[in-house]
Amino acid sequence: MKGLIAKKLAMTQIFGAGDQIAGVTVLEAGPCYVTQIKTVKTDGYNAIQLGFGAVRAERLRKDLTKAERGHLGMLKTDEKHASRKPALEGVPALRHLREIRVEDPGKYTLGQKLVADLFAVGDIIEAESVSKGKGFAGAVKRYHFQGGKKTHGASDRLRAPGSSGATTTPGRVLKGKRRAGHMGMDVVTQRSLKVMLVDTERNLIAVRGSVPGGTNALVILREPKQTGKKKK
């Protein structure tokens, strides 16, 4: 499995063969840097940690905590703290760090730079991001409830959620009941997205369809997970 950290820019449309129009989402994919490599021997699983979003030097102390600067090797090494992590060569201060599972971490090196050409036109990928927050919403908008009757004097039941359960048994509302509440701000994975365009010069990737999140949202692009049993 391979992946990139990207930033959602906008939606537009592009023309394909035979003047076919496709609605696409444009993402700024990379540059990403490998900041940590995890293996089964050391961590119990195989993964790489990617960094994305360079931080300006004057914003370093404001945008990154001391722990984050130490993880990237941004702290000065002296005799008192000789065991501090050395700086990664060619890697700037990075705002976002995310982990992506890989099958063979030996293919990657610390400080390696990954850009948009990691994916090619025609690849099927998936995008994970935090959906837009919509605030407090009722059951009709949040869960697509049908609502009550519009006639026979039911003037206030049109967008009501209806009954929440029985009275004597169990005598309470069960946990997980679909009711009104905060809508959105959930981690959503959009699957089966086809890569329609790869611009290596500007690190842009356009995928067909929509991607969760608003403008400038952080998006994880990766290969789809293997499902089902493997053929022998």
Side-chain angles (χ1 to χ4, degrees):
M1 184 181 294
K2 57 186 179 181
L4 286 173
I5 306 176
K7 181 174 69 173
K8 182 177 177 179
L9 298 181
M11 288 196 70
T12 183
Q13 58 187 16
I14 59 176
F15 292 88
D19 293 335
Q20 293 183 347
I21 301 177
V24 296
T25 302
V26 182
L27 305 112
E28 180 184 346
C32 299
Y33 298 88
V34 179
T35 56
Q36 188 177 3
I37 298 176
K38 295 188 175 183
T39 62
V40 174
K41 184 177 180 180
T42 58
D43 301 277
Y45 62 97
N46 293 329
I48 58 172
Q49 184 188 78
L50 295 180
F52 173 74
V55 178
R56 300 196 306 268
E58 59 271 18
R59 298 282 305 181
L60 187 61
R61 291 182 176 272
K62 293 183 179 181
D63 293 347
L64 298 181
T65 64
K66 188 174 181 180
E68 290 172 334
R69 298 198 305 270
H71 178 67
L72 296 172
M74 298 296 172
L75 298 179
K76 293 182 180 180
T77 304
D78 49 30
E79 295 180 357
K80 186 178 179 180
H81 303 283
S83 61
R84 284 182 174 173
K85 184 177 179 180
L88 298 174
E89 295 184 2
V91 177
L94 301 167
R95 188 186 305 272
H96 306 289
L97 300 176
R98 295 294 186 272
E99 226 178 65
I100 294 179
R101 296 290 186 103
V102 295
E103 296 180 357
D104 185 10
K107 295 181 179 179
Y108 301 89
T109 58
L110 284 175
Q112 182 178 348
K113 184 178 179 180
L114 304 178
V115 292
D117 60 2
L118 191 67
F119 297 109
V121 175
D123 288 351
I124 303 298
I125 61 176
E126 61 183 27
E128 178 185 298
S129 184
V130 178
S131 62
K132 291 182 180 180
K134 294 176 171 49
F136 189 91
V140 173
K141 180 178 179 180
R142 194 181 185 197
Y143 294 110
H144 309 290
F145 277 21
Q146 184 177 355
K149 294 182 178 180
K150 301 180 182 178
T151 58
H152 299 284
S155 59
D156 61 344
R157 299 289 91 194
L158 179 58
R159 300 184 70 85
S163 174
S164 295
T167 54
T168 304
T169 303
R172 60 189 175 87
V173 178
L174 298 177
K175 288 184 177 181
K177 199 71 175 177
R178 294 182 296 171
R179 304 285 296 191
H182 187 223
M183 183 178 179
M185 296 299 291
D186 297 319
V187 178
V188 180
T189 301
Q190 188 75 21
R191 307 186 190 279
S192 301
L193 295 172
K194 184 177 180 180
V195 177
M196 304 295 293
L197 174 70
V198 176
D199 188 340
T200 56
E201 293 183 0
R202 295 182 291 177
N203 278 328
L204 298 179
I205 290 180
V207 295
R208 184 163 192 162
S210 61
V211 170
T215 304
N216 295 327
L218 202 67
V219 182
I220 308 298
L221 302 177
R222 58 174 177 248
E223 286 181 321
K225 298 178 181 179
Q226 298 292 333
T227 58
K229 297 182 179 179
K230 294 184 179 180
K231 296 181 180 180
K232 296 182 179 180

